[in-house]
Amino acid sequence: MRKSLLCAFLAAGLVLLASPHSKAAAKTDFDICWTIYAGWMPWEYAAAEGIVDKWANKYGIRIKLTQVNDYVESINQYTAGQFDGCAMTNMDALTIPAAGGVDSTALIVGDFSNGNDGVVLKGSGKTVKDLKGMDVNLVELSVSHYLLARALDSAGLREKDLKVINTADADIAAAFDTAEVQAVTTWNPMLEEVKNKPGVTQVFDSSRIPGEILDLMVVNTRTLQDNPALGKALTGAWYEVMALLAGSSPQRQSAVEHMAKASGTDLDGFEGQLATTYLFDTPQAALTFVNSAELPKTMDKVAAFSFDHGLLGEGARDSKAVGMSFANQVIVGDRDNLKLRFDPSYLQMAVDGSL
């Protein structure tokens, strides 16, 4: 899954293994990791169908796509320098590699959660305000935790008004079946399972905060700078698959069936997850989003949440501790500690047809 308990202290330790200041020599072989989630299944398809190889061959390089079963472990391995890139959320990109000192670039903003994450209550609870005084089970310090905080904001509540119960993602659905658990915050496919139980109400979901929970392909900045062919090949492969998914041809049907099977669900289940995943299915759509004034504002909110929950490291004095750069030379945070970059240059190449 794309979300898990975040270990900022571990990320900080990994900086010793992966100094962002070390020179990454030009090379021809790259390894990119990913984990199963609807928004990242196009990477599996692109690898299986030879699309990644086609684009890599165009630039005289080789790219291996490696599936890692544990999401947070995949990010830790990337942070430690074992992978050149990794699929992760925007919050995790900030709080693990960037907070750990590894300069990283969000090469591709693939989608945002548009209902894939939600807050569900049992019984008489019908609104977010009914969470007051309750225990809420979720994966603590994950984007589910962030979603809950944003839900509480919408109702004038704070986390002190309830109690968060840390629960592993694999245990959420089973926990909700017990009498003790009255509220959960989770993501698909668990969300679909719990919200369809009788007598429950989904009181908030990520469609209420569009563009805030982002799914990215993140690459090491130094590696990308020294090897622009990697950025070109990954971007080209991604948007070839996006063009396929945006159509209605028999090939799209075959591709979606392939992704559904590879992700461990059936066609209807996967189509349901895609329906609540807002894919930026063209380079122009992604470029417009990345160039917008809203993205820096969103990441400022994410940084504030992360600081409040101790995810920016022990040395962080405030939410501005980690610098982030965006299009149009916008900087959020410490410009002398830029560690997360939203670079639109490869998207612009895709829009211009120059890949």
Side-chain angles (χ1 to χ4, degrees):
M1 307 305 275
R2 82 198 201 286
K3 315 177 186 75
S4 185
L5 184 65
L6 304 178
C7 302
F9 68 92
L10 179 57
L14 286 171
V15 69
L16 299 175
L17 301 176
S19 171
H21 304 296
S22 59
K23 178 72 173 177
K27 58 181 184 176
T28 58
D29 291 80
F30 304 91
D31 202 347
I32 307 295
C33 63
W34 65 281
T35 48
I36 288 178
Y37 174 68
W40 293 327
M41 294 314 297
W43 288 117
E44 190 279 337
Y45 178 80
E49 295 299 307
I51 296 171
V52 170
D53 287 343
K54 182 186 79 172
W55 281 90
N57 290 340
K58 178 178 180 178
Y59 293 103
I61 61 175
R62 288 180 291 273
I63 301 174
K64 179 182 178 184
L65 271 292
T66 299
Q67 180 186 344
V68 178
N69 291 329
D70 184 272
Y71 169 67
V72 77
E73 179 61 21
S74 72
I75 305 175
N76 287 338
Q77 289 182 26
Y78 160 77
T79 305
Q82 296 177 38
F83 292 99
D84 300 294
C86 182
M88 64 186 78
T89 68
N90 53 326
M91 179 172 153
D92 295 348
L94 173 63
T95 60
I96 302 183
V102 177
D103 195 330
S104 298
T105 295
L107 177 69
I108 297 170
V109 179
D111 67 82
F112 63 77
S113 176
N114 196 35
N116 263 332
D117 303 75
V119 183
V120 178
L121 305 185
K122 285 180 182 174
S124 60
K126 301 297 181 184
T127 70
V128 173
K129 287 188 176 182
D130 293 319
L131 288 167
K132 188 172 183 177
M134 297 182 70
D135 293 350
V136 182
N137 292 65
L138 51 72
V139 179
E140 194 173 11
L141 305 181
S142 70
V143 291
S144 284
H145 201 157
Y146 175 80
L147 180 75
L148 176 64
R150 295 288 285 122
L152 295 175
D153 286 343
S154 74
L157 298 176
R158 296 292 179 264
E159 282 190 53
K160 66 181 181 180
D161 295 320
L162 49 76
K163 183 178 180 181
V164 168
I165 306 296
N166 186 32
T167 308
D169 58 305
D171 298 331
I172 284 282
F176 197 61
D177 282 336
T178 66
E180 292 77 15
V181 177
Q182 296 297 304
V184 298
T185 304
T186 190
W187 60 86
N188 276 326
M190 294 84 69
L191 177 62
E192 191 69 21
E193 182 177 351
V194 299
K195 76 178 185 180
N196 286 329
K197 294 180 182 296
V200 307
T201 303
Q202 179 172 281
V203 298
F204 195 88
D205 68 58
S206 52
S207 68
R208 300 272 299 276
I209 53 168
E212 293 192 29
I213 299 177
L214 302 171
D215 296 309
L216 316 172
M217 173 52 70
V218 172
V219 296
N220 181 280
T221 297
R222 178 63 69 183
T223 299
L224 183 63
Q225 290 174 346
D226 291 343
N227 303 275
L230 174 64
K232 293 177 182 179
L234 288 173
T235 303
W238 178 259
Y239 286 107
E240 181 170 331
V241 179
M242 288 301 100
L244 178 64
L245 290 179
S248 57
S249 68
Q251 191 178 1
R252 180 198 182 276
Q253 178 79 3
S254 176
V256 174
E257 289 175 351
H258 174 107
M259 293 180 208
K261 182 177 180 180
S263 65
T265 188
D266 58 19
L267 180 60
D268 288 343
F270 191 72
E271 288 280 23
Q273 292 179 43
L274 284 181
T276 50
T277 303
Y278 188 98
L279 285 168
F280 294 109
D281 54 11
T282 67
Q284 184 60 65
L287 182 64
T288 298
F289 180 80
V290 171
N291 282 341
S292 73
E294 292 306 310
L295 180 57
K297 294 176 184 177
T298 290
M299 291 308 300
D300 200 28
K301 292 176 187 174
V302 171
F305 172 89
S306 300
F307 174 73
D308 289 344
H309 291 79
L311 298 175
L312 297 184
E314 292 182 2
R317 296 181 179 180
D318 55 32
S319 64
K320 309 297 185 183
V322 179
M324 298 177 282
S325 66
F326 302 87
N328 305 311
Q329 300 182 326
V330 173
I331 303 292
V332 171
D334 187 351
R335 63 178 57 250
D336 294 324
N337 187 38
L338 287 177
K339 298 300 177 187
L340 182 58
R341 306 167 192 265
F342 288 82
D343 179 6
S345 60
Y346 291 89
L347 284 172
Q348 189 66 61
M349 292 179 203
V351 169
D352 296 341
S354 59
L355 288 177

